[in-house]
Amino acid sequence: MNAESGFEIKPVYRPGDIPPDVPIGEPGEFPYTRGVYPTMYTKRPWTMRQYAGFGTAAESNARYHQLLAAGTMGLSVAFDLPTQMGYDSDDPIAHGEVGKVGVAIDSLDDMRQLFAGIPLDRVSTSMTINAPGSVLLLLYQLVAEEQGLPGSALQGTIQNDILKEYIARGTYIFPPKPSLRLVADTFAYCRTEIPKWNTISISGYHMAEAGASPAQEIAFTLANGIEYVRAALAAGLAVDDFAPRLSFFFVARTTLLEEIAKFRAARRMWARIMRDEFGAQDPKSLMLRFHTQTAGVQLTAQQPEVNLVRVAIQALGAVAGGTQSLHTNAYDEALALPTEKSARLALRTQQVLAYESGLTGTVDPFAGSYAIEALTDEVERQATDLIDRVFAYGSAVDAIEQGFQKQEIETSAYRIANEIDSGERVVVGVNRFVADEEERYEPLRVDPAIEAAQVARLAALRSARDGQAVEAALADLAKAAGGTENVLPLMKEALRLRATVGEVCHTLRGVWGVYHPVERF
């Protein structure tokens, strides 16, 4: 049998398969193979963070209250495509996409409504937003200030990982260099203004969803991490001032043993990179802390209830691999946005693992397994080789501009697709154990009237605000963007005056331009 990373998985593993010069170590100790904390889940479980957001801010707010009442420990916000791309809901390019794959957020008014009745000092919030990540974070901070909360009371994460957008996902706005500058500005701003906030979630998840193998996922993710560290150092930040707030985001597939090995290998690799390449001294700078989401790409529209089993196995791999927080996909997400019932079942899956399985009774229960330790070493070997190939181009950005990572991922995706088509790799309900008839499923649908409502809200906002003050604030932002000043304080002032997400992003587009990838055939 072959692993998804391409190497052979042996029918039997023996002591000799584990290299003697690779110590397993102890939990909470360098190189953190067994976990970043000594006690891991034995004192408290991972954060159960359910990803949700659709339609209007009011609708998403209602879903958040439902999830919190069901026992969710943290929120994870999904934004619609126009918001992710820095466009307002009334922009012609947004037509037909408003509220479709997440919540539409155009202004401070929307963000205020999104978190109405939710005490932001008692809830950890993750926001899946990249190119305009700093804009949405500042809106969140402004809402918290309206609740009387200082930035020091806020905990959460913005994804803010722009490099993987050029590789796999495509929701970029600006070219790579100004995008990296915005990331570094966010690091510096949060160090003083929102010190508990995780300023970036360096993501392999989306590369995996595009077809990256486990080894490619961690290699290209860690290579991007290296690039962010270099950008922050070049901006004058000290490594131990920002590195403890770096976090990561990975997928969990159904290939259980390889996934557990992947998480263990990634921790070990990052610890060595931070110590040996960047000279980090703070132990927290060496710890790879990560959020995990179960694999949406492996969910099937055929026999969707089988996805309940897939998600449970994927979640088991994430927990056995030592994740710090976890989102479990709903079984019906291959068909539509999850219903309230399916979202609750996804959360219950985590709760069964945490409170019924016994997994939280001991740290790193798979440690010492001949198979797991050998697989950990093999994934690390492949990933290290790929990182070396990335930096042979000079930097991760140079490799991106040459299309290296994208081509490698596409090759992997093609190989896996061929294995599925040939039946070599089994997908239950798709190429084996196929049902003659599928049961009728009624999906959750987004009301198309949402777009008209958002457009009306924007018109009301623009007529009620001080337009001259907004224009002056945006002019100040443009001037800062053209120089070297940190742009976040000026962005915050414009947003406080009720400038929209699209207006802020268009201002930066006017200075920094937009990214147009070079097509290579």
Side-chain angles (χ1 to χ4, degrees), residues 15 41 49 56 81 102 114 124 150 206 223-224 287 311 319 327 336 342 347 458 498 517:
Y41 312 134
R49 188 187 300 282
T56 65
L81 193 56
L114 184 65
S124 170
H206 302 94
N224 287 348
M287 296 178 183
V311 169
V319 172
H327 163 81
S342 66
L347 175 60
L458 277 166
R498 300 170 81 193

Side-chain angles (χ1 to χ4, degrees), residues 267-335:
R267 268 195 302 271
R268 192 157 73 197
M269 292 171 67
W270 187 246
R272 289 172 174 158
I273 288 167
M274 293 305 293
R275 183 192 68 178
D276 299 342
E277 182 167 344
F278 296 111
Q281 301 294 316
D282 186 341
K284 291 182 179 179
S285 298
L286 313 180
M287 296 178 183
L288 184 142
R289 298 168 301 110
F290 63 94
H291 170 71
T292 308
Q293 181 173 337
T294 56
V297 74
Q298 290 187 321
L299 302 183
T300 65
Q302 302 93 326
Q303 302 180 46
E305 292 85 355
V306 178
N307 293 329
L308 286 164
V309 183
R310 291 188 178 100
V311 169
I313 293 170
Q314 293 163 359
L316 172 62
V319 172
T323 193
Q324 275 59 69
S325 66
L326 176 62
H327 163 81
T328 34
N329 289 326
Y331 75 90
D332 52 357
E333 288 190 51
L335 298 166

Side-chain angles (χ1 to χ4, degrees), residues 9 20 25 50 65-66 161 213 224 343 351 379 397 439 477 508:
I9 296 180
Q50 289 303 101
H65 281 283
Q66 292 164 1
D161 174 11
S213 71
N224 287 348
Q351 291 166 337
V379 171
V397 171
E439 295 182 10
L477 172 61
L508 296 177

Side-chain angles (χ1 to χ4, degrees), residues 361-380:
T362 188
V363 178
D364 192 20
F366 285 82
S369 158
Y370 303 145
I372 288 294
E373 299 301 347
L375 290 173
T376 299
D377 294 336
E378 181 61 28
V379 171
E380 180 180 4

Side-chain angles (χ1 to χ4, degrees), residues 127-141:
M127 292 186 276
T128 302
I129 194 76
N130 294 285
S134 54
V135 182
L136 276 297
L137 174 59
L138 293 170
L139 289 174
Y140 188 85
Q141 184 187 16

